[in-house]
Amino acid sequence: MNISGNDFNQVSDNLLAFLKDRLGDTKIDYASPPTKLQGGNETSIFHFKLKNVQPSLLRPLILRKFRKEHRSNHAIMEKNVHNSLVDQGFPVPYVHYSCTDQSYFGSQFLIMDFLPGEILPLVLGQDTAIVLGKTHAALHNANSSPLSEAMIADGFEERQNNIKAKLDRLLRASGYLPWLEDICTWLIENRPSKCEYPSICHGDFHPGNLLAKDSVVSAILDWSCCHIGDPAMDVASTMVVFNAATKHLIPSFDSNIETQKYLDAYKSERHLNEQHLEFYQALGCVIALFAGTNGVLVWTQTPIQNELLNIIYNYSKIRV
């Protein structure tokens, strides 16, 4: 999205108006006005600093503005996710304010801490997959109960073991996308048993959503797809990104080697249900193909779609 000078001024003015309203202090001003950062497929992200404000807000901050299409109260859900993980010591930005009032920006938004760093591969190089696997395992070992309770209390029940919601959505879509019919039947018939120990699952855990500084993970970002569920589904999502997308987007990326490094690192920290993992890779590929029909560009590329189709066939013997 291109932001004109007038749009930047509006973001700046409206953000300051919100903070003055929320804090009841008209003296608040910018030490550095908002500047747009790259990244965020479903959000607009701005970096800024304040002055004449309480000490906790004097640090560099981020405005994360969601699309209008996000479910009502989504900002509240993400605040719960972020702050629950901060409480457990994870490098996740602390959210100071979540706002569902669309009068300021026409959409929901968060104001949270800015965490410095560069995307994992730029800092860690050949160790990227290893660090990714260990960090993913640590996330799945976190205590999910406080976040689960908060999600339920705020009306996000579908984020609990949400495999049924995913299958229901695909089944409805098969009514107008005939190619989904056979694979939906297979997915429903082969759905794994309920996960006994559900974990906090990121939903889009790949090197581009983690930052590192001084060879240490400094931030885990983009929690829009977070849910409480089977950790094998979260691992499968990472594997689909590696084996279907990254291998074509980055020619030097050896998906077989990097996937194995990631899995070995993950399994060195916690158990992984291999049978569930196969099912969720097939499901992840179907979801990716479906996302392509809805305009998600990475999943519309023919070589990547062919990889998705091959993975689906390897596990289901269904030719989509």
Side-chain angles (χ1 to χ4, degrees):
M1 179 178 70
N2 293 322
I3 303 290
S4 70
N6 288 337
D7 291 329
F8 267 128
N9 290 338
Q10 186 175 18
V11 167
S12 178
D13 292 345
N14 290 1
L15 175 57
L16 206 56
F18 166 79
L19 290 166
K20 289 178 178 179
D21 290 346
R22 180 59 64 94
L23 295 172
D25 188 346
T26 59
K27 296 179 181 178
I28 297 171
D29 204 350
Y30 291 117
S32 300
T35 56
K36 194 171 190 296
L37 301 181
Q38 290 184 342
N41 293 326
E42 297 187 346
T43 60
S44 297
I45 304 170
F46 300 85
H47 175 266
F48 66 99
K49 288 186 70 174
L50 298 171
K51 63 182 180 181
N52 305 329
V53 74
Q54 62 200 46
S56 64
L57 295 175
L58 286 174
R59 65 192 71 189
L61 298 171
I62 290 290
L63 166 66
R64 178 170 159 88
K65 189 164 74 73
F66 297 102
R67 295 183 308 178
K68 293 181 180 179
E69 295 80 8
H70 272 83
R71 173 183 165 168
S72 61
N73 295 331
H74 180 89
I76 295 173
M77 188 280 293
E78 282 211 28
K79 180 180 180 181
N80 287 338
V81 171
H82 279 241
N83 293 354
S84 170
L85 288 165
V86 170
D87 288 345
Q88 296 190 56
F90 284 88
V92 176
Y94 179 79
V95 175
H96 296 273
Y97 301 107
S98 63
C99 184
T100 59
D101 181 353
Q102 299 193 18
S103 64
Y104 291 97
F105 297 109
S107 63
Q108 305 173 63
F109 61 93
L110 301 175
I111 296 174
M112 58 190 186
D113 287 341
F114 169 81
L115 298 185
E118 296 181 278
I119 60 172
L120 233 53
L122 295 179
V123 179
L124 299 174
Q126 294 182 346
D127 292 333
T128 295
I130 296 171
V131 173
L132 189 76
K134 289 183 177 293
T135 306
H136 212 174
L139 172 65
H140 292 162
N141 282 331
N143 181 6
S144 64
S145 296
L147 178 57
S148 179
E149 292 168 3
M151 282 185 171
I152 292 172
D154 288 331
F156 288 92
E157 292 87 352
E158 85 285 359
R159 299 263 178 172
Q160 310 296 309
N161 294 297
N162 70 343
I163 175 62
K164 183 178 184 301
K166 291 180 182 292
L167 292 177
D168 287 346
R169 186 182 182 198
L170 291 174
L171 190 60
R172 288 195 300 271
S174 69
Y176 59 89
L177 295 172
W179 59 268
L180 275 170
E181 292 177 2
D182 290 344
I183 191 61
C184 275
T185 299
W186 182 87
L187 289 169
I188 291 168
E189 290 177 350
N190 290 274
R191 174 183 172 181
S193 56
K194 186 176 180 179
C195 178
E196 187 175 2
Y197 300 106
S199 296
I200 299 174
C201 296
H202 182 277
D204 194 21
F205 200 84
H206 60 75
N209 276 334
L210 279 75
L211 305 181
K213 184 179 180 183
D214 300 327
S215 299
V216 175
V217 174
S218 59
I220 308 173
L221 307 175
D222 194 359
W223 293 87
S224 288
C225 297
C226 182
H227 59 278
I228 309 294
D230 191 332
M233 177 160 37
D234 213 22
V235 171
S237 174
T238 300
M239 293 177 69
V240 169
V241 170
F242 273 19
N243 292 318
T246 309
K247 66 184 295 183
H248 291 286
L249 298 173
I250 304 176
S252 62
F253 184 83
D254 189 322
S255 61
N256 292 328
I257 292 176
E258 297 306 316
T259 299
Q260 195 59 54
K261 286 163 63 176
Y262 160 76
L263 286 174
D264 289 346
Y266 182 97
K267 289 189 284 190
S268 72
E269 303 293 328
R270 77 186 316 271
H271 171 71
L272 183 61
N273 189 313
E274 301 286 349
Q275 287 185 322
H276 287 198
L277 187 63
E278 292 185 359
F279 171 87
Y280 285 123
Q281 285 180 81
L283 173 62
C285 290
V286 175
I287 290 172
L289 286 171
F290 180 56
T293 68
N294 289 319
V296 179
L297 292 179
V298 68
W299 304 121
T300 64
Q301 300 180 37
T302 300
I304 293 176
Q305 289 184 336
N306 288 337
E307 294 288 353
L308 296 171
L309 295 171
N310 288 336
I311 296 170
I312 292 169
Y313 180 77
N314 284 343
Y315 294 120
S316 70
K317 303 307 180 213
I318 303 289
R319 293 201 182 276
V320 175

